[in-house]
Amino acid sequence: MGPARRRPGPRGHGRGGQGPRVTRLRPLWWLTGLLAVAVAGVAGLAFGPVPLPPVAVATEIVNLLPGVRMTSGLDEREVAVLLQLRLPRVVLGLLVGAMLALAGAAYQGVFRNPLADPYLLGVAAGAGLAATAVIALDGPRTLLPAAAFTGALAAIGLTYLLGAAGGRDRSPAALILAGVAVAAFLEAGQTWLMQRHADDLREIYSWLLGRLATGGWSDVRMLLPYVVVTAVVVLLHRRELDVLTVGDEEAAGLGLHPQRSRLILVAAASLGTAAAVSVSGLIGFVGVIVPHTVRLLAGASYRAVLPLSMLFGAAFLMLADLVARTAVAPAEVPIGVITALFGAPFFVLVLRTHRRVAL
């Protein structure tokens, strides 16, 4: 009997055809991610038109725990500002940032493209068009997540079909170009709706630029179940994302059903993106900036990339929201403008670094 043949290992991101190292999520990265979320959260709660001492803010948050009561030094008005205005906004930013970063990482794994992002694939535009239609036609706001999800799925389906039109020889760039074309088409539909419903123009325009200012506990309660479901599904498929990096044929040889895994992951990521878009509007580039930064820090394995993207995505968007509402105070910059200011140069840097993979 000859020597046993070695099963092919994952490859695609490593050197010399070697696959991504299956990186264990070290406690240091957990602590770093949680610390980033805590610092961004306290900063988001403490700074604004009514500045609050960070220590007092942290004390009031601890007071929310059952059985805990400490003196923070804040008066009744400051406590109301903290708990009724800033806390729901910061929590909403946490959920939206975590969701968009996780969806971006999942899309990049599914499509094996470092530039894949809910916005470049047309997912956000599809969700945006559907949500805009609900607003313009005075539909119930409770329909926003379902409508956005339907639009997101339709958009990603159309992008995939157009990108796959070249058959087996299609390049990753074809998918991105198809996504850009689909997004442009859907955004044209949005513009048409806005022109036809000028009375709702201000609300729609504000929503398109991204917003957390009007976020409240009702938005948090609506978004939270979608975030939990999406996170559970995607995190449970983290091994499949690592295996998909080797290519479909080799992944099938390793016992994976590539198309079924892709369908589950795309549906979950689209659901989470649509829910986030329905409450926050269009906030771009989070799905590109955060996963790539995490890969630079912790390696390419999705066992580390997915959970860390959620943590750092949450921290990133909370800080972006802080900049948006303090940079030109008392006025407020749309948060989508802030993420674009960071994201556009970052996207160019990623494009130059990964041009062989992307194109």
Side-chain angles (χ1 to χ4, degrees):
M1 179 180 296
R5 297 180 62 184
R6 295 183 60 185
R7 300 174 69 185
R11 57 185 169 83
H13 291 284
R15 295 177 180 176
Q18 298 298 315
R21 291 177 297 175
V22 180
T23 308
R24 292 186 181 278
L25 189 52
R26 298 175 180 176
L28 174 63
W29 289 118
W30 272 114
L31 292 175
T32 304
L34 292 173
L35 181 62
V37 171
V39 170
V42 171
L45 294 171
F47 300 108
V50 179
L52 304 173
V55 174
V57 166
T59 303
E60 280 295 334
I61 298 303
V62 172
N63 281 339
L64 297 177
L65 298 174
V68 178
R69 191 59 198 166
M70 296 185 291
T71 301
S72 66
L74 299 181
D75 60 30
E76 187 175 342
R77 170 176 164 271
E78 291 172 329
V79 171
V81 169
L82 173 64
L83 299 183
Q84 297 178 20
L85 296 179
R86 292 187 188 170
L87 186 57
R89 179 170 181 163
V90 167
V91 173
L92 191 63
L94 181 152
L95 295 176
V96 171
M99 196 70 272
L100 294 179
L102 180 70
Y107 284 131
Q108 288 156 22
V110 165
F111 297 116
R112 298 202 300 272
N113 191 312
L115 299 180
D117 170 80
Y119 293 83
L120 292 175
L121 294 174
V123 178
L129 174 59
T132 300
V134 172
I135 296 173
L137 300 176
D138 292 326
R141 296 302 189 262
T142 53
L143 287 180
L144 278 175
F149 178 56
T150 304
L153 278 185
I156 192 65
L158 183 59
T159 295
Y160 188 77
L161 288 175
L162 292 175
R168 295 172 61 88
D169 294 333
R170 66 183 183 275
S171 69
L175 189 70
I176 296 299
L177 293 175
V180 171
V182 169
F185 179 78
L186 297 176
E187 286 167 2
Q190 272 186 337
T191 303
W192 180 79
L193 273 177
M194 291 165 63
Q195 288 181 336
R196 297 283 295 177
H197 299 272
D199 293 342
D200 298 312
L201 192 61
R202 185 179 180 84
E203 181 182 1
I204 296 173
Y205 189 65
S206 172
W207 182 83
L208 289 176
L209 291 176
R211 63 179 185 185
L212 296 177
T214 57
W217 288 117
S218 60
D219 295 310
V220 172
R221 285 192 292 270
M222 188 193 73
L223 179 59
L224 185 59
Y226 295 96
V227 173
V228 172
V229 170
T230 301
V232 169
V233 172
V234 173
L235 291 175
L236 286 177
H237 286 76
R238 58 193 184 282
R239 176 184 171 276
E240 281 84 343
L241 283 172
D242 276 330
V243 175
L244 283 173
T245 61
V246 305
D248 285 5
E249 292 183 1
E250 292 169 280
L254 292 171
L256 184 70
H257 194 301
Q259 296 305 323
R260 183 174 60 195
S261 296
R262 279 200 176 89
L263 179 62
I264 295 172
L265 285 162
V266 167
S270 299
L271 174 65
T273 300
V277 168
S278 68
V279 299
S280 67
L282 302 182
I283 302 174
F285 293 105
V286 179
V288 171
I289 296 174
V290 177
H292 278 283
T293 304
V294 168
R295 287 190 186 93
L296 291 175
L297 296 174
S301 171
Y302 284 92
R303 299 188 186 204
V305 169
L306 293 177
L308 288 178
S309 291
M310 292 189 71
L311 291 175
F312 285 103
F316 172 75
L317 203 62
M318 286 191 288
L319 291 175
D321 181 52
L322 176 61
V323 174
R325 57 188 164 86
T326 57
V328 293
E332 186 167 319
V333 180
I335 191 172
V337 174
I338 301 299
T339 58
L341 288 176
F342 287 100
F346 191 90
F347 180 84
V348 173
L349 178 63
V350 172
L351 181 63
R352 290 176 59 86
T353 304
H354 296 273
R355 58 187 182 276
R356 291 182 180 178
V357 177
L359 301 176

